[in-house]
């Protein structure tokens, strides 16, 4: 079992920055961030392999968002810069120990999820 708790969401103006945090009860092979806007499907944002720190990003956020870990604290972060109104969504931290690399962007491959934190970007 991996328990995940997100924090750091809030209201920010377009062009601003936020850093989301995810506290994990234990390490997992892969950790990821997804988001879901009202009426839309859950969308992959970024993932990191804890052991190698290899990272993977959705094209929509590449160059603006950065995923990272703090191994000592079992924390995963999502630094979000140059935020846009279309980034408004609930953001979820996810983890799994058994997924394969080809599934890293697939929400169905993750067995553990946090409750989410809401991000609102005003124009």
């Amino acid at each position: 079992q991996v328990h995940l708790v997100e924090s750091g969401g809030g209201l920010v103006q377009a062009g601003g920055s936020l850093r989301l945090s995810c506290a994990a009860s234990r390490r997992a092979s892969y950790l990821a961030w997804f988001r879901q806007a009202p009426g839309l499907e859950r969308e992959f944002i970024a993932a990191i392999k804890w052991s190698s720190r290899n990272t993977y990003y959705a094209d929509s956020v590449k160059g603006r968002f950065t995923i990272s870990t703090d191994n000592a604290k079992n924390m995963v972060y999502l630094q979000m810069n140059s935020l846009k109104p279309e980034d408004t969504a609930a953001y979820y931290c996810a983890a799994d120990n058994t997924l394969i690399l080809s599934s890293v962007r697939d929400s169905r491959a993750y067995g553990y999820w946090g409750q989410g934190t809401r991000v609102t970007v005003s124009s």
Side-chain angles (χ1 to χ4, degrees), residues 76-120:
V76 182
Y77 303 103
L78 184 69
Q79 178 66 43
M80 306 187 295
N81 298 328
S82 302
L83 283 161
K84 305 174 182 180
E86 51 263 44
D87 294 318
T88 295
Y91 282 71
Y92 297 91
C93 182
D96 203 82
N97 288 311
T98 62
L99 68 84
I100 57 176
L101 182 57
S102 60
S103 298
V104 73
R105 293 173 172 81
D106 188 347
S107 63
R108 297 168 298 179
Y110 291 84
Y112 305 105
W113 291 86
Q115 292 301 306
T117 185
R118 183 161 299 277
V119 172
T120 302

Side-chain angles (χ1 to χ4, degrees), residues 10-54:
L11 173 64
V12 64
Q13 287 188 332
S17 298
L18 278 177
R19 188 178 80 157
L20 304 184
S21 301
C22 174
S25 61
R26 53 175 291 184
R27 292 188 188 182
S29 297
Y30 285 91
L31 292 109
W33 288 94
F34 288 79
R35 69 186 180 190
Q36 188 167 20
L40 299 179
E41 293 186 354
R42 195 161 291 190
E43 175 190 14
F44 169 78
I45 298 301
I48 188 166
K49 186 173 184 180
W50 209 312
S51 59
S52 64
R53 299 192 181 187
N54 288 344

Side-chain angles (χ1 to χ4, degrees), residues 47-80:
I48 188 166
K49 186 173 184 180
W50 209 312
S51 59
S52 64
R53 299 192 181 187
N54 288 344
T55 57
Y56 312 89
Y57 293 95
D59 289 343
S60 59
V61 305
K62 199 173 296 183
R64 299 190 297 125
F65 291 10
T66 303
I67 189 171
S68 62
T69 60
D70 182 330
N71 289 355
K73 298 180 180 179
N74 282 0
M75 296 289 294
V76 182
Y77 303 103
L78 184 69
Q79 178 66 43
M80 306 187 295

